[in-house]
Amino acid sequence: MSVVDSTIKLQLVFGLLKNVYCGWESTKLIMSKSSLSRKVASGKLTNWVQPSFDDLFGGASLKSLTSKKRTNSGEPKGNDRSSALDASSKLQATKRTKAPFCEQPGHFTKEYLDLDQDVPWVDKYKPESQAELAVHKKKIEEVENWLSMEVHQRQPKKGGSILLMTGPSGCGKTATIQVLTKELGVQIQEWSNPVSLSEFKKDDYKNVFDPESRFRGFTSESQSAVFQEFLLRANKYNKLQMSGEAKHTSKKVILIEEVPNQFYRQPASLHDILRRFIRTGRCPLIFIISDSLSGDSNQWLLFPKDIQEELNVSNISFNPVAPTSMMKVLSRIAAQETSRSGGKVSVPDKDSLDRLCSGSSGDIRSAINSLQFSSLKDYALENSLLSSKKGKASSKASKTSTRGRNKDKSSKTSERQEGLQAIGGKDVSLFLFRALGKILHFKREPRIEPELPHLPDRLSEHERDPLLVDPEMVTEKCHMSGELFNMYLHQNYLEFFTNIEDVVRASEYLSDADFLTTEWSSRSALREYSASVAARGMIHSNKARAFASSQTGVGFKPLHKPQWLLINKKYRENCLVAKSLFVSFCMPLACLQTQLLPYLALLTNPMRNQAQIAFIQDVGRLPLKKYPRRLKLEALTDKDPVVDLDSDEDDPAASAYANPKGEQSQAPGLEGLQSDGGSLPSSQTAGGDLPGSQPQPTAAQAIMKEEELVIEDYDSD
Ligand SMILES: Nc1ncnc2c1ncn2[C@@H]1O[C@H](COP(=O)(O)OP(=O)(O)OP(=O)(O)O)[C@@H](O)[C@H]1O
């Protein structure tokens, strides 16, 4: 690659980054995270986001970029000390100027208002004591107990200890740790992922293109190596004390919120590092891991059950912030802002606060950001227009419903309002359990506008009351592919029907939905339609619930996971075992399973290897008498993880191999042969409906020692 090419490419990359950054900046108001203020020294928060990429090579911003960068020990870098001091003195100056205004509400200079408006409220009103935390008291207590046990009452030479804090994003995990460590006089030494751009200095840029030097490119030290070194140093040395900071105590905890990406690909390397830490650690290590949108938690990937047990990891799981606590915080902030601004900030009314609370689904950061956003003058105007429109609509609805039936009014309004998410509110995800419930227990409302035309007589059997649920919205919010969602519907729909004709029609819709995604070339585009056809078809077919007046409760019906998942998992396991046992045949997996194994099963003396014989006996034939009953169904938990249906069918080894608990189970290749079959789901091993068949030749060998091997003759009938 020529030097000119490289320069152009680099410029393109930086141009792109700059564009992405600018786009991101505009949405940052909503997304503002406390980490922004934590990780970037707070003194520079005169603007919410500074355009750090401007003049990347021009000097000014590069300087500010590096001055913002903290080392992984949480300290500003040595040569940036003066800038850090500048920042902290600015912060103190800001703090000093703030005080008189707090004491004298209503007296402001324009300068103060401008400065104050730019400070994110999540930081301005961050909790300073336990009492201020919007977190359940029990959770605070649990964390506090753990901290005092592991920090204050820790035995010398005990080794390291690990706390894993999980829960949805913005539920106050970090805030809790910050408040408690402050109260207990414990320092936090925090890891932040190295950003390669900020490591990149002007001189490096010259070196890259220096013909004398070898092309080095960007720094390439692996994330895990840097992380390991950080842990080693943080464990060994105390935090540096910066001038102006309060005197450090020797008590500290190491905090990891950003786990290096590499560990998501290779969790085993993290486990090795942690094993070493447990042996040599001198202080506690805290991981804060937030749940992902689809409801599954990364904790299962990074900290599977066995590792948690092995390393004695304490796990404290946080819940979303309760609406009452959230409302308290929002009202307090709203009241303070109103009084401080002397009416200049227009804070939303109680209804809007309610909507903010429900729209943020327990994420206090999102709720506070939305509150700040909605108090902006322009936005407030728009919002009031919007709420007056909504008000009209709801009053109209309520008038008719008082005429008609009153009883479901409140539930329907709330159902409706769930759709009308607060502006700037969090993109709420629906857990699968709730999403399925919304389709299977769908609700209709009585026709409130009689002037709506009715269907002609010949189609009158298709007449339905308006639906209260939006099926497309439901499938979108549960973050899984349409096909998988259909599978869950397919598994569970029967229980919700009372009429066989309705079942027939619903199953036809399911077939249509299935057909839409058979063609791989159009599958990705038609997926959403397929889910729509299945969900709407199922709802429409259920004539017993065609009208709001005829809807009766069906009672609690347990939901189950699709059997397909279990069977597909077994198929994948079998593929891996077949591949390893019959490697010498050099056949593709499909041929191996569908041609070779059934053929070998018909031969009287096909193989010498006992593991192979056992496997063929198990997989090569379909002895129906062996499985007289249906498989035991696995109940659906409310946080069921999403399974990747797009994985390569022909190479299951290459696909993500997640079991229904979301744990990464080891692919039972040859290593799996040594295990005693712990990888089978409980529905198979415990119930014995489908005997722990294939992937454990060791188990199979044991059986064969007891029983005489019988290879049945082929019977063409
Ligand atoms: N009363 C309060 N209780 C908790 N947090 C509050 C409160 N008031 C304001 N906040 C702010 O809300 C934010 C809560 O986010 P926090 O970082 O603690 O969430 P988290 O659970 O760690 O999630 P994430 O992993 O996404 O950061 C913090 O910025 C905190 O300062």
Side-chain angles (χ1 to χ4, degrees), residues 94-231:
T94 317
K95 278 187 181 161
R96 275 197 297 274
T97 50
K98 267 185 191 176
F101 293 110
C102 303
E103 285 154 17
Q104 303 168 357
H107 293 271
F108 303 92
T109 60
K110 189 174 171 306
E111 196 184 328
Y112 169 72
L113 272 178
D114 287 348
L115 183 79
D116 198 46
Q117 264 186 9
D118 284 342
V119 180
W121 289 359
V122 273
D123 296 326
K124 192 165 155 191
Y125 295 101
K126 77 170 193 211
E128 299 290 345
S129 65
Q130 284 191 39
E132 284 181 26
L133 276 172
V135 177
H136 199 284
K137 294 232 151 24
K138 271 210 171 132
K139 291 290 161 195
I140 304 178
E141 234 173 69
E142 273 182 57
V143 181
E144 190 178 18
N145 289 343
W146 189 90
L147 276 175
S148 38
M149 276 295 292
E150 297 299 333
V151 180
H152 291 300
Q153 297 158 32
R154 190 173 166 274
Q155 318 273 328
K157 305 211 168 160
K158 181 188 165 228
S161 47
I162 301 175
L163 171 66
L164 174 63
M165 291 171 73
T166 53
S169 175
C171 66
K173 301 182 288 292
T174 317
T176 306
I177 281 292
Q178 281 171 345
V179 165
L180 289 177
T181 47
K182 201 171 127 199
E183 287 187 357
L184 295 170
V186 179
Q187 284 181 52
I188 297 180
Q189 205 156 353
E190 186 179 350
W191 158 263
S192 51
N193 277 334
V195 183
S196 47
L197 253 184
S198 56
E199 309 282 356
F200 189 78
K201 300 199 188 75
K202 246 181 168 177
D203 294 343
D204 295 342
Y205 182 67
K206 280 183 206 147
N207 281 336
V208 167
F209 300 108
D210 183 2
E212 305 277 293
S213 79
R214 294 193 56 200
F215 187 85
R216 292 188 301 132
F218 293 101
T219 92
S220 59
E221 200 174 358
S222 89
Q223 273 187 347
S224 62
V226 180
F227 178 79
Q228 190 167 357
E229 197 178 313
F230 158 75
L231 216 52

Side-chain angles (χ1 to χ4, degrees), residues 32-35 37-38 121-127 131-135 167-176 178 257 288-290 318 321 325 329 332-333 363-366 368:
S32 168
K33 225 186 132 168
S34 67
S35 56
S37 57
R38 257 184 287 115
W121 289 359
V122 273
D123 296 326
K124 192 165 155 191
Y125 295 101
K126 77 170 193 211
E132 284 181 26
L133 276 172
V135 177
S169 175
C171 66
K173 301 182 288 292
T174 317
T176 306
Q178 281 171 345
E257 271 204 82
I288 295 185
I289 296 183
S290 292
F318 279 53
V321 175
S325 316
V329 174
R332 180 168 53 90
I333 295 178
D363 181 341
I364 194 158
R365 184 175 39 231
S366 156
I368 298 176

Side-chain angles (χ1 to χ4, degrees), residues 409-472:
K409 191 181 137 199
S410 58
S411 70
K412 276 172 192 162
T413 326
S414 68
E415 193 115 9
R416 273 255 183 88
Q417 285 202 343
E418 244 175 75
L420 293 172
Q421 226 184 71
I423 296 180
K426 196 176 169 179
D427 179 15
V428 197
S429 64
L430 270 179
F431 290 125
L432 180 59
F433 196 78
R434 273 197 76 202
L436 286 174
K438 278 187 176 289
I439 302 292
L440 296 169
H441 286 279
F442 65 93
K443 288 192 187 133
R444 298 188 181 276
E445 62 176 347
R447 280 173 167 260
I448 48 172
E449 303 196 36
E451 67 269 19
L452 277 181
H454 283 268
L455 290 176
D457 282 349
R458 67 193 162 81
L459 295 175
S460 60
E461 62 160 330
H462 294 294
E463 187 87 49
R464 304 282 187 270
D465 273 350
L467 260 184
L468 270 169
V469 62
D470 180 351
E472 287 75 28

